[in-house]
mmCIF file of all heavy atoms in Angstrom:
data_model
loop_
_atom_site.group_PDB
_atom_site.id
_atom_site.type_symbol
_atom_site.label_atom_id
_atom_site.label_comp_id
_atom_site.label_asym_id
_atom_site.label_seq_id
_atom_site.Cartn_x
_atom_site.Cartn_y
_atom_site.Cartn_z
ATOM 1 N N ILE I 249 82.792 -33.471 281.427
ATOM 2 C CA ILE I 249 83.323 -34.524 280.592
ATOM 3 C C ILE I 249 82.510 -34.596 279.269
ATOM 4 O O ILE I 249 83.123 -34.641 278.189
ATOM 5 C CB ILE I 249 83.316 -35.839 281.315
ATOM 6 C CG1 ILE I 249 84.390 -35.888 282.553
ATOM 7 C CG2 ILE I 249 83.664 -37.028 280.397
ATOM 8 C CD1 ILE I 249 84.256 -37.153 283.360
ATOM 9 N N VAL I 250 81.293 -34.642 279.451
ATOM 10 C CA VAL I 250 80.442 -34.880 278.210
ATOM 11 C C VAL I 250 80.563 -33.596 277.298
ATOM 12 O O VAL I 250 80.843 -33.884 276.052
ATOM 13 C CB VAL I 250 78.928 -34.986 278.586
ATOM 14 C CG1 VAL I 250 77.994 -34.971 277.279
ATOM 15 C CG2 VAL I 250 78.633 -36.312 279.264
ATOM 16 N N GLU I 251 80.580 -32.418 277.710
ATOM 17 C CA GLU I 251 80.718 -31.262 276.946
ATOM 18 C C GLU I 251 82.152 -31.138 276.385
ATOM 19 O O GLU I 251 82.314 -30.653 275.165
ATOM 20 C CB GLU I 251 80.455 -29.998 277.764
ATOM 21 C CG GLU I 251 78.898 -29.975 278.110
ATOM 22 C CD GLU I 251 78.686 -28.729 279.016
ATOM 23 O OE1 GLU I 251 79.663 -28.028 279.471
ATOM 24 O OE2 GLU I 251 77.451 -28.255 279.059
ATOM 25 N N ARG I 252 83.117 -31.682 276.963
ATOM 26 C CA ARG I 252 84.484 -31.714 276.505
ATOM 27 C C ARG I 252 84.470 -32.558 275.241
ATOM 28 O O ARG I 252 85.492 -32.443 274.313
ATOM 29 C CB ARG I 252 85.607 -32.318 277.478
ATOM 30 C CG ARG I 252 86.142 -31.194 278.450
ATOM 31 C CD ARG I 252 87.418 -31.794 279.130
ATOM 32 N NE ARG I 252 88.425 -31.782 278.144
ATOM 33 C CZ ARG I 252 88.940 -32.837 277.577
ATOM 34 N NH1 ARG I 252 88.493 -34.071 277.954
ATOM 35 N NH2 ARG I 252 89.921 -32.790 276.721
ATOM 36 N N HIS I 253 83.698 -33.597 275.184
ATOM 37 C CA HIS I 253 83.667 -34.388 274.013
ATOM 38 C C HIS I 253 82.740 -33.983 272.935
ATOM 39 O O HIS I 253 82.346 -34.855 271.953
ATOM 40 C CB HIS I 253 83.404 -35.919 274.427
ATOM 41 C CG HIS I 253 84.477 -36.528 275.270
ATOM 42 N ND1 HIS I 253 84.704 -36.271 276.591
ATOM 43 C CD2 HIS I 253 85.528 -37.435 274.808
ATOM 44 C CE1 HIS I 253 85.771 -36.959 277.041
ATOM 45 N NE2 HIS I 253 86.322 -37.585 275.921
ATOM 46 N N GLY I 254 82.085 -32.925 273.081
ATOM 47 C CA GLY I 254 81.172 -32.299 272.090
ATOM 48 C C GLY I 254 79.755 -32.875 272.237
ATOM 49 O O GLY I 254 78.917 -32.798 271.279
ATOM 50 N N GLY I 255 79.468 -33.481 273.426
ATOM 51 C CA GLY I 255 78.093 -34.107 273.568
ATOM 52 C C GLY I 255 77.162 -33.308 274.463
ATOM 53 O O GLY I 255 77.552 -32.190 274.960
ATOM 54 N N LYS I 256 76.097 -33.848 274.809
ATOM 55 C CA LYS I 256 75.023 -33.189 275.725
ATOM 56 C C LYS I 256 74.650 -34.139 276.757
ATOM 57 O O LYS I 256 74.733 -35.344 276.651
ATOM 58 C CB LYS I 256 73.864 -32.774 274.932
ATOM 59 C CG LYS I 256 74.096 -31.704 273.828
ATOM 60 C CD LYS I 256 72.830 -31.291 273.083
ATOM 61 C CE LYS I 256 73.115 -30.326 271.980
ATOM 62 N NZ LYS I 256 71.865 -29.781 271.295
ATOM 63 N N ILE I 257 74.192 -33.662 277.976
ATOM 64 C CA ILE I 257 73.769 -34.509 279.072
ATOM 65 C C ILE I 257 72.522 -33.872 279.607
ATOM 66 O O ILE I 257 72.281 -32.619 279.575
ATOM 67 C CB ILE I 257 74.955 -34.575 280.080
ATOM 68 C CG1 ILE I 257 74.565 -35.567 281.195
ATOM 69 C CG2 ILE I 257 75.209 -33.175 280.659
ATOM 70 C CD1 ILE I 257 75.675 -35.847 282.098
ATOM 71 N N GLY I 258 71.695 -34.770 280.146
ATOM 72 C CA GLY I 258 70.466 -34.316 280.671
ATOM 73 C C GLY I 258 69.800 -35.421 281.654
ATOM 74 O O GLY I 258 70.461 -36.536 281.834
ATOM 75 N N VAL I 259 68.622 -35.170 282.221
ATOM 76 C CA VAL I 259 68.074 -36.123 283.127
ATOM 77 C C VAL I 259 66.515 -36.001 282.904
ATOM 78 O O VAL I 259 65.985 -35.006 282.701
ATOM 79 C CB VAL I 259 68.475 -35.853 284.570
ATOM 80 C CG1 VAL I 259 68.005 -34.429 284.945
ATOM 81 C CG2 VAL I 259 67.912 -36.870 285.511
ATOM 82 N N GLU I 260 65.908 -37.223 283.064
ATOM 83 C CA GLU I 260 64.510 -37.278 283.046
ATOM 84 C C GLU I 260 64.109 -38.083 284.318
ATOM 85 O O GLU I 260 64.689 -39.080 284.599
ATOM 86 C CB GLU I 260 63.958 -38.025 281.828
ATOM 87 C CG GLU I 260 64.348 -37.291 280.495
ATOM 88 C CD GLU I 260 64.116 -38.267 279.316
ATOM 89 O OE1 GLU I 260 63.677 -39.489 279.489
ATOM 90 O OE2 GLU I 260 64.421 -37.778 278.128
ATOM 91 N N SER I 261 63.139 -37.506 285.028
ATOM 92 C CA SER I 261 62.903 -38.243 286.459
ATOM 93 C C SER I 261 61.458 -38.031 286.722
ATOM 94 O O SER I 261 60.793 -37.069 286.334
ATOM 95 C CB SER I 261 63.809 -37.538 287.467
ATOM 96 O OG SER I 261 63.612 -38.244 288.606
ATOM 97 N N GLU I 262 60.953 -38.937 287.521
ATOM 98 C CA GLU I 262 59.670 -38.838 288.125
ATOM 99 C C GLU I 262 59.989 -39.118 289.619
ATOM 100 O O GLU I 262 60.512 -40.142 290.073
ATOM 101 C CB GLU I 262 58.825 -39.954 287.700
ATOM 102 C CG GLU I 262 57.323 -39.729 288.336
ATOM 103 C CD GLU I 262 56.361 -40.807 287.557
ATOM 104 O OE1 GLU I 262 56.684 -41.457 286.641
ATOM 105 O OE2 GLU I 262 55.186 -40.872 288.040
ATOM 106 N N PHE I 263 59.676 -38.084 290.446
ATOM 107 C CA PHE I 263 60.012 -38.064 291.872
ATOM 108 C C PHE I 263 59.349 -39.334 292.636
ATOM 109 O O PHE I 263 58.135 -39.639 292.401
ATOM 110 C CB PHE I 263 59.367 -36.757 292.577
ATOM 111 C CG PHE I 263 59.829 -36.693 294.013
ATOM 112 C CD1 PHE I 263 61.189 -36.584 294.408
ATOM 113 C CD2 PHE I 263 58.997 -36.739 295.030
ATOM 114 C CE1 PHE I 263 61.574 -36.443 295.641
ATOM 115 C CE2 PHE I 263 59.286 -36.652 296.373
ATOM 116 C CZ PHE I 263 60.589 -36.526 296.602
ATOM 117 N N GLY I 264 60.212 -40.041 293.244
ATOM 118 C CA GLY I 264 59.653 -41.181 293.925
ATOM 119 C C GLY I 264 59.772 -42.521 293.186
ATOM 120 O O GLY I 264 59.628 -43.563 293.728
#
Side-chain angles (χ1 to χ4, degrees):
I249 291 174
V250 172
E251 290 180 347
R252 275 199 70 252
H253 290 82
K256 297 180 180 179
I257 188 170
V259 60
E260 300 166 359
S261 182
E262 185 175 353
F263 185 65

